[in-house]
Amino acid sequence: MEASCGNLPEAKLSENSRLMFQACDSGRLQDVMAILDVGSGSKGGDSEASDTLDQKRLLAAKQNPNDGLSPLMVAAKHGHVDICRALLDAGAPWNAIDQYGLCAGNYATNNQHWEVVDLLVEYGTKAELILGASIRLAKSLSEGSKNEAERNKMTTDEKTPIPVSHEPCTKPDYLQQKVRYNPSNTLLLDDDDDAVMMEWERPLMNAHASLLTRNAHGKRVLNIGFGLGIIDTALQEYKPSSHVIIEAHPVVYDKMIKDGWEKKPGVRICFGRWQDELPNLVEEGLIFDGIFYDTYGEHFTDLEDFHELMSKVLHKPDGIYSFFNGLAPDNLFFHGVACNCVKIQLSHLGLEAEFASCEIQVDEKEWEGVRRKYWHGRDTYYMPIVTWKKQS
């Protein structure tokens, strides 16, 4: 955002930024509004109006170079909800983080300013839904793959390295990578030494299997993404009448065949991408009592696309759907916003979602040999429970 400061002198910007931080700290809304109005008296054409908008956005978003704090973080920390709203309206990013990885939502939550939390969740949800819609539009115009390739190229080619934890989680080339299992079959790694699946997930997968089957035998279940086979092993304990597994990676599929999964009771393996295989199941008219989704390297918009197809094969009115909830794993507030986005998207399909808390502890030793974590020290996992809305 530094590049969009227009004609605003740097010295004046620094002074205004200092005054902005002071006003946000002490809760002086009028001072914040006055600072945001700097340069807004321009009566010029579109170019000058655009410069003014950029200046306001810069003043609202400017972060302290020493600690990364933004005016929004300061206002949120002290519970100044009206100032937070003004900054957001002026263009302050809801998801900016400081040097400790904390965002405004974290500061509001840690200080129990729930009105500010609600405001930030609202803005964050709207922003993410708009972003998702724009990505889906780009994909529909056949530009998505090109743009994704350019983004990935920038990640690896830029001269300034970015932290591993900030690299994009999407991996469009995953199916071309030579993934490998460790000798004890407790870890599945990709070419980058990032974990596709790990043994510590077993208690969570057992809980998901219990949920999807309602602890009863004879259910019809569908799983997307085999990995280490943890949830499919758990599902087999409930003796499903039908157990369909969609797996796209050739190495994983070969191991499934080697381990005899196609011979297990009720099991049908569909080798391919769910984007290709699930429509076939829809066309066959198959219906499932429980559905689970746990893919690797896909985008949030892929999850949304899956939901649209999944809703066509989930039994009404008693079917249950769930997924591995690794949404925004490095920040609890971002995680909450992502879960809220999922709830809204599913609601449009006639489904309602809740998130049950499950205690989980992951020892640091589990990550030895893994380049990047996908779970960051939290001891609570929020398990999605998705069912059809009750008819009134």
Side-chain angles (χ1 to χ4, degrees):
M1 297 196 71
E2 294 282 358
S4 60
C5 61
N7 298 318
L8 196 61
E10 184 61 27
K12 187 174 183 181
L13 175 62
S14 298
E15 175 65 13
N16 282 326
S17 292
R18 185 183 66 80
L19 294 174
M20 174 66 80
F21 277 103
Q22 289 180 352
C24 291
D25 184 76
S26 58
R28 301 193 305 270
L29 176 61
Q30 288 185 336
D31 289 354
V32 169
M33 298 303 295
I35 296 168
L36 289 175
D37 284 340
V38 169
S40 63
S42 172
K43 302 295 183 180
D46 291 342
S47 176
E48 292 184 3
S50 177
D51 286 346
T52 297
L53 181 61
D54 287 343
Q55 291 167 13
K56 289 184 66 173
R57 185 180 297 116
L58 181 59
L59 286 168
K62 182 72 174 179
Q63 292 178 251
N64 187 321
N66 297 316
D67 54 20
L69 280 174
S70 70
L72 183 62
M73 295 175 200
V74 174
K77 179 180 180 179
H78 296 290
H80 303 316
V81 64
D82 290 335
I83 291 179
C84 289
R85 183 177 290 106
L87 292 169
L88 289 165
D89 287 342
W94 70 276
N95 56 351
I97 58 174
D98 64 11
Q99 66 176 5
Y100 304 106
L102 300 177
C103 66
N106 297 130
Y107 280 103
T109 302
N110 293 344
N111 290 278
Q112 300 184 21
H113 298 308
W114 305 121
E115 190 175 2
V116 175
V117 171
D118 290 343
L119 174 70
L120 291 167
V121 169
E122 177 188 352
Y123 269 77
T125 300
K126 288 179 180 177
E128 291 304 298
L129 291 176
I130 291 171
L131 176 61
S134 66
I135 293 174
R136 289 169 64 85
L137 177 60
K139 289 171 66 176
S140 70
L141 297 174
S142 300
E143 297 175 358
S145 59
K146 177 182 178 182
N147 291 340
E148 185 69 31
E150 287 300 316
R151 284 194 294 271
N152 289 335
K153 185 176 186 301
M154 287 180 64
T155 298
T156 56
D157 290 355
E158 284 177 343
K159 293 182 179 180
T160 302
I162 63 174
V164 169
S165 60
H166 291 173
E167 291 181 11
C169 295
T170 53
K171 295 196 174 185
D173 65 340
Y174 166 63
L175 296 182
Q176 286 73 51
Q177 293 192 19
K178 297 293 185 181
V179 301
R180 63 194 187 278
Y181 292 86
N182 68 349
S184 59
N185 198 40
T186 58
L187 177 64
L188 177 60
L189 292 171
D190 68 9
D191 277 346
D192 300 318
D193 288 334
D194 289 335
V196 178
M197 193 173 194
M198 301 177 70
E199 177 63 26
W200 67 259
E201 296 179 36
R202 188 172 296 275
L204 300 180
M205 293 300 161
N206 290 340
H208 278 288
S210 173
L211 168 73
L212 296 172
T213 61
R214 299 182 187 270
N215 292 318
H217 291 183
K219 298 293 185 179
R220 301 160 295 181
V221 295
L222 168 66
N223 176 40
I224 313 297
F226 182 79
L228 293 174
I230 298 177
I231 192 167
D232 289 297
T233 298
L235 289 170
Q236 279 287 294
E237 294 295 320
Y238 295 97
K239 297 177 170 42
S241 60
S242 173
H243 184 173
V244 178
I245 306 169
I246 298 178
E247 173 55 52
H249 201 287
V251 173
V252 178
Y253 172 71
D254 288 345
K255 182 165 176 38
M256 293 176 70
I257 299 302
K258 179 181 178 181
D259 292 346
W261 270 91
E262 84 283 8
K263 299 176 182 178
K264 292 183 182 293
V267 169
R268 170 184 172 184
I269 302 174
C270 298
F271 175 45
R273 300 167 65 247
W274 65 260
Q275 292 90 337
D276 301 319
E277 298 299 323
L278 190 51
N280 295 333
L281 302 183
V282 173
E283 188 174 346
E284 290 180 33
L286 296 187
I287 297 296
F288 299 94
D289 302 298
I291 300 175
F292 188 67
Y293 174 94
D294 185 13
T295 63
Y296 179 77
E298 293 194 326
H299 194 274
F300 182 79
T301 54
D302 294 308
L303 178 63
E304 184 178 355
D305 291 339
F306 174 77
H307 288 160
E308 292 187 11
L309 279 173
M310 175 276 299
S311 65
K312 298 179 181 180
V313 295
L314 184 65
H315 179 254
K316 290 183 179 181
D318 300 322
I320 299 180
Y321 161 66
S322 192
F323 58 91
F324 178 75
N325 192 2
L327 301 172
D330 56 346
N331 186 295
L332 185 58
F333 186 79
F334 295 163
H335 179 73
V337 170
C339 290
N340 198 46
C341 290
V342 169
K343 290 182 68 172
I344 292 173
Q345 292 162 353
L346 289 169
S347 178
H348 294 159
L349 298 172
L351 294 156
E352 57 186 5
E354 59 179 303
F355 296 86
S357 58
C358 303
E359 297 305 309
I360 182 70
Q361 291 187 348
V362 184
D363 194 294
E364 281 298 312
K365 293 181 180 179
E366 297 280 354
W367 300 105
E368 292 179 1
V370 177
R371 186 181 73 108
R372 175 175 58 179
K373 293 182 179 181
Y374 59 88
W375 191 260
H376 293 265
R378 299 204 308 267
D379 57 6
T380 303
Y381 171 82
Y382 296 96
M383 182 170 66
I385 304 174
V386 182
T387 55
W388 293 104
K389 292 179 180 179
K390 300 294 186 294
Q391 299 296 325
S392 57

